[in-house]
Each structure stands twice: as C-alpha cells, then as structure tokens.
Amino acid sequence: MQAGPVERRLRSYWKMEAACAVSFPLLAAWMVEPDGGREIAGVVLAVTASCCLLAVGALYWHAALCRVRGNPEPMRHALRIARRLKRPLLALAIASLVWAVFLCFLDPSSAALAALGFSALAVLEYVNYYHVQLQNFDHLPDFKRLLRRRRLRQAHLAADLKKVAGER
C-alpha cells in the first residue's frame, strides 16, 4: 500500500525534529567556545530547552504517524508525556531565555548569542507546539490558509491535548 501525502509529511516531520534534537548539542559544541561557567550554563540550559521541546515534537509527530497508520496507542502515550511536560518545558524555555538575555547584557559574546538563539528557538517551539502553529511556510495549503484567514491556527498538539482534556 502506497503512503498518502499526510503520511509522507509525518514521516519526515518526526525525523526532522529528532535529528535536530540530536544534532543541536553537537552543533553548539562545535560552534561555541564558552568563556567561563556562566556561558557554559547559558548554552547548556538553552540547548537543553530547545532539544527537550524538539524531542516532544518528534514523539508527537511519530505518534501522529502511527495514528494515521491505524495505531492510536502511541498518541495516548505521547499526549500523556506532552501534558506532563507542558509547564516544566515552559519554565525551562523562559529560564533559558532570561539567562541568555542576562549573558548578552553582560557581554554579547558568541556563546551568549548562541544561548540567545537556542533559547529563542525553545520559546518558539513551545508556542508552536502548545499554542499556535507558527510554522506555516513548509506546506503550501497551510501557507495559503494563513494568508486567507490572516491568523495563526491552533497547534496540532494543543488541539489533541484539548480533546483529551475534554474526554476526562
């Protein structure tokens, strides 16, 4: 049986999120030479925040792929994890952003700017998963819908979490 367009997209989404979650620490280690404990802490905190959110995204998109293929069990597991991690991930993303801004204020070094970049990514990923779909440029129908409606749609994970909360 040939995969449909949704299944093909989901296959690449979860792999892309997982690849980023694995490669970001390596990228940070290769790009950044922190100068002292504050910078090391800032970069580690920021990379951890972004990678944890990307890992939740990979888990969710893989579960969505399983659901499309007829197996809903991984989605129940993914939503349970995503729900439990929602507040801790928000706290981690905000803490990393505050720390990165603090570092940039002290000395806008490459490590401070890398921490700021990874922290901003973490905050954007949090919003993109738990609130509204920020990424609308990778799929033409999503982009057209954004242009037509002139507003962002609810994130898929947010909608699934809301459905599960309504079932209890």
Side-chain angles (χ1 to χ4, degrees):
M1 182 159 72
Q2 191 168 357
V6 171
E7 185 177 344
R8 282 194 299 274
R9 281 192 18 245
L10 291 174
R11 261 195 327 233
S12 65
Y13 279 178
W14 82 267
K15 289 176 185 175
M16 181 178 58
E17 299 293 270
C20 288
V22 170
S23 64
F24 280 6
L26 301 172
L27 181 65
W30 176 68
M31 285 178 40
V32 179
E33 292 183 33
D35 186 29
R38 283 190 301 226
E39 287 185 349
I40 291 170
V43 171
V44 167
L45 186 62
V47 169
T48 300
S50 61
C51 289
C52 285
L53 280 151
L54 288 165
V56 166
L59 179 68
Y60 173 73
W61 288 123
H62 185 263
L65 175 62
C66 292
R67 182 170 60 187
V68 164
R69 290 177 173 167
N71 180 6
E73 187 55 36
M75 183 57 79
R76 286 191 278 277
H77 178 69
L79 292 176
R80 197 169 35 255
I81 290 172
R83 186 183 72 249
R84 285 184 185 152
L85 291 178
K86 185 176 181 181
R87 285 190 178 141
L89 288 174
L90 176 60
L92 184 60
I94 290 172
S96 74
L97 186 61
V98 168
W99 191 256
V101 168
F102 170 72
L103 288 176
C104 287
F105 179 74
L106 290 179
D107 177 22
S109 65
S110 65
L113 294 173
L116 184 62
F118 282 114
S119 295
L121 176 66
V123 170
L124 291 171
E125 286 290 353
Y126 182 86
V127 171
N128 189 52
Y129 281 124
Y130 286 103
H131 296 287
V132 294
Q133 181 182 331
L134 296 176
Q135 189 168 333
N136 289 282
F137 51 84
D138 65 335
H139 185 56
L140 188 58
D142 286 344
F143 186 65
K144 286 180 178 179
R145 184 184 311 105
L146 174 65
L147 293 177
R148 189 174 60 252
R149 292 185 180 171
R150 296 185 186 149
R151 63 181 164 87
L152 298 171
R153 72 190 274 185
Q154 184 176 38
H156 294 283
L157 174 59
D160 281 340
L161 286 171
K162 194 179 283 186
K163 258 188 257 174
V164 168
E167 291 172 3
R168 281 193 248 141

